[in-house]
Amino acid sequence: MRMLMLGAALVMMTSAAMTHSALAENDDTKGAQKLAMQGRDDYWHCLAREYARDSNQGLSEQDFSRSVAGACPSERQYYRVALLDYLTSQYPNIDSAAHLATANRAVESAQKDIVTAYVKHRPPQQ
């Protein structure tokens, strides 16, 4: 009888520990997702400020693209790292190089989108 109670207690403790662990992992993933989204938003806001700078008005597409590529270095790096952390926590069995490539593509996509918006909304050259 004593062994049965001890066994039941161990099962309950193990179950509680596993549940806590699963919740902690879920919280870690949610936290990483929140940081990645915040990093994305910060980077986009910085790119929007770059878009609106008076000194960039009238640049060619190529010159504006170069300007954007060099703009917002800390925001860009934070976004890349936060997204990499999120992808690693969400998909731990995928190679980290694949996650890094995905994060880099996300940064490149943001830059491409801001350049596209710039080209579509700039006044025609005379």
Side-chain angles (χ1 to χ4, degrees), residues 57-85:
Q57 303 311 312
L59 291 179
S60 69
E61 178 180 351
Q62 188 176 29
D63 288 340
F64 183 73
S65 182
R66 272 194 291 260
S67 175
V68 165
C72 312
S74 61
E75 291 87 348
R76 180 179 57 241
Q77 185 61 13
Y78 181 82
Y79 176 38
R80 181 182 289 119
V81 170
L83 185 55
L84 183 60
D85 287 346

Side-chain angles (χ1 to χ4, degrees), residues 51 61 64 112-124:
Y51 174 91
E61 178 180 351
F64 183 73
K112 183 179 177 184
D113 287 348
I114 203 76
V115 170
T116 299
Y118 175 82
V119 169
K120 285 184 177 181
H121 294 101
R122 71 177 177 186

Side-chain angles (χ1 to χ4, degrees), residues 10-28:
L10 285 173
V11 167
M12 288 176 52
M13 288 173 43
T14 303
S15 177
M18 288 173 53
T19 301
H20 177 71
S21 176
L23 290 175
E25 285 179 23
N26 194 21
D27 286 346
D28 289 345

Side-chain angles (χ1 to χ4, degrees), residues 37-47 49 75 78:
M37 289 175 13
Q38 182 64 47
R40 177 203 61 204
D41 293 346
D42 290 347
Y43 186 49
W44 267 102
H45 288 129
C46 184
L47 290 177
R49 287 189 303 274
E75 291 87 348
Y78 181 82

